[in-house]
Amino acid sequence: MIDVSKYDKLLEDIKSMLFSERKSRKLNKIEPNFYKNIYSLFVELNAEKEMVVSTDITEYMEITKLLDDARKNFKAFFQVRFEKIAKYSVYDDIEEFLYNMSPEEKGIMRELNEQMKNYYNDFIGATRHVEEQKEEETLQEEIEEPTRKIPEPEIENNEATEDLIPVRILKDQPPIAQPEGDYYLHKNDVIYISPSFARMLNSHGICAYISKGKKL
């Protein structure tokens, strides 16, 4: 049979804290391990419930009743306690409220406080103003960015410069990979490229040949 007595103190503590929390307008002091003990309570009771589910229906029902009682009282305590925490989280200075709180509650309070500040700044336009200013600075940087230079193709295997032919680019293109390197082609650029590459571009209407000797 389950030893109910070992859970009695914690259950009584929950009921007592619920009563005190309801009577007080402030947050009452809570033990640092309170929520860890609550977690252990539910884990242990659920484990014992699973152990007897097929062997002892009387004990199963007793554990189920104990779990329901613990859940009901803890939920009531949680709602009263965290209603206060949520209320105090909107204050600019929350340090005075942290003294009576558990480590878990302190983390939640700080997180809520940060969110509330963000909501407030958004409502008064402060956050939006900062974001718009950043967008304007980014756009200005893009406008002022120097025009990229078209890299001269590297000639491999000692290929003679005379083998390259001049062409004029007719429209902007995304980067095009070639064995000698990547080409960044823009409208009206005049570059020297290999005949095979020139034929490929010309067949797609990307470039036009420039006759040798013709003024570029």
Side-chain angles (χ1 to χ4, degrees), residues 88-97 113 116-117 120:
Y88 295 135
S89 69
V90 301
Y91 288 32
D92 290 335
D93 185 5
I94 61 172
E95 293 303 316
E96 63 176 292
F97 306 113
N113 180 250
M116 292 303 166
K117 288 178 180 177
Y120 173 76

Side-chain angles (χ1 to χ4, degrees), residues 116 118-128:
M116 292 303 166
N118 290 337
Y119 289 138
Y120 173 76
N121 287 332
D122 190 51
F123 288 145
I124 66 173
T127 303
R128 190 174 297 110

Side-chain angles (χ1 to χ4, degrees), residues 155 157-164:
I155 302 172
N157 301 325
N158 297 320
E159 183 180 5
T161 305
E162 287 74 22
D163 291 337
L164 302 179

Side-chain angles (χ1 to χ4, degrees), residues 2-183:
I2 181 175
D3 182 11
V4 179
S5 62
K6 69 178 182 178
Y7 302 109
D8 283 344
K9 183 179 184 307
L10 186 53
L11 288 172
E12 288 303 316
D13 285 345
I14 296 174
K15 294 177 182 178
S16 175
M17 292 172 67
L18 171 59
F19 178 77
S20 298
E21 207 68 47
R22 280 174 170 167
K23 289 187 63 177
S24 174
R25 295 181 60 185
K26 296 183 178 180
L27 287 166
N28 292 321
K29 188 170 180 57
I30 193 171
E31 292 297 323
N33 293 328
F34 174 74
Y35 291 104
K36 292 180 181 178
N37 293 336
I38 290 292
Y39 175 78
S40 298
L41 167 72
F42 285 108
V43 169
E44 291 174 12
L45 285 178
N46 277 299
E48 294 203 38
K49 181 180 175 182
E50 291 298 320
M51 288 176 59
V52 301
V53 63
S54 59
T55 58
D56 192 333
I57 189 62
T58 301
E59 188 170 4
Y60 175 83
M61 295 302 295
E62 184 178 0
I63 297 174
T64 299
K65 183 178 181 303
L66 195 59
L67 272 168
D68 290 343
D69 189 33
R71 287 196 188 97
K72 180 182 68 175
N73 284 280
F74 176 67
K75 185 172 184 179
F77 168 79
F78 180 87
Q79 290 173 335
V80 174
R81 180 84 175 177
F82 278 83
E83 182 179 1
K84 296 179 184 179
I85 291 175
K87 179 177 70 173
Y88 295 135
S89 69
V90 301
Y91 288 32
D92 290 335
D93 185 5
I94 61 172
E95 293 303 316
E96 63 176 292
F97 306 113
L98 300 180
Y99 178 75
N100 288 336
M101 299 170 69
S102 72
E104 297 87 351
E105 290 175 339
K106 291 177 182 178
I108 294 171
M109 171 74 97
R110 291 190 176 102
E111 183 178 342
L112 285 174
N113 180 250
E114 189 63 28
Q115 290 179 350
M116 292 303 166
K117 288 178 180 177
N118 290 337
Y119 289 138
Y120 173 76
N121 287 332
D122 190 51
F123 288 145
I124 66 173
T127 303
R128 190 174 297 110
H129 175 71
V130 171
E131 292 176 351
E132 290 174 352
Q133 188 174 21
K134 287 182 179 179
E135 290 178 359
E136 290 178 1
E137 291 174 355
T138 301
L139 180 60
Q140 187 63 30
E141 288 175 0
E142 292 176 353
I143 294 174
E144 295 176 353
E145 182 181 0
T147 304
R148 293 173 299 175
K149 292 182 64 177
I150 301 172
E152 292 291 337
E154 295 181 3
I155 302 172
E156 297 181 354
N157 301 325
N158 297 320
E159 183 180 5
T161 305
E162 287 74 22
D163 291 337
L164 302 179
I165 61 174
V167 297
R168 184 185 302 278
I169 304 303
L170 302 179
K171 51 189 174 182
D172 293 338
Q173 295 296 309
I176 300 176
Q178 288 294 295
E180 64 272 15
D182 293 341
Y183 284 83

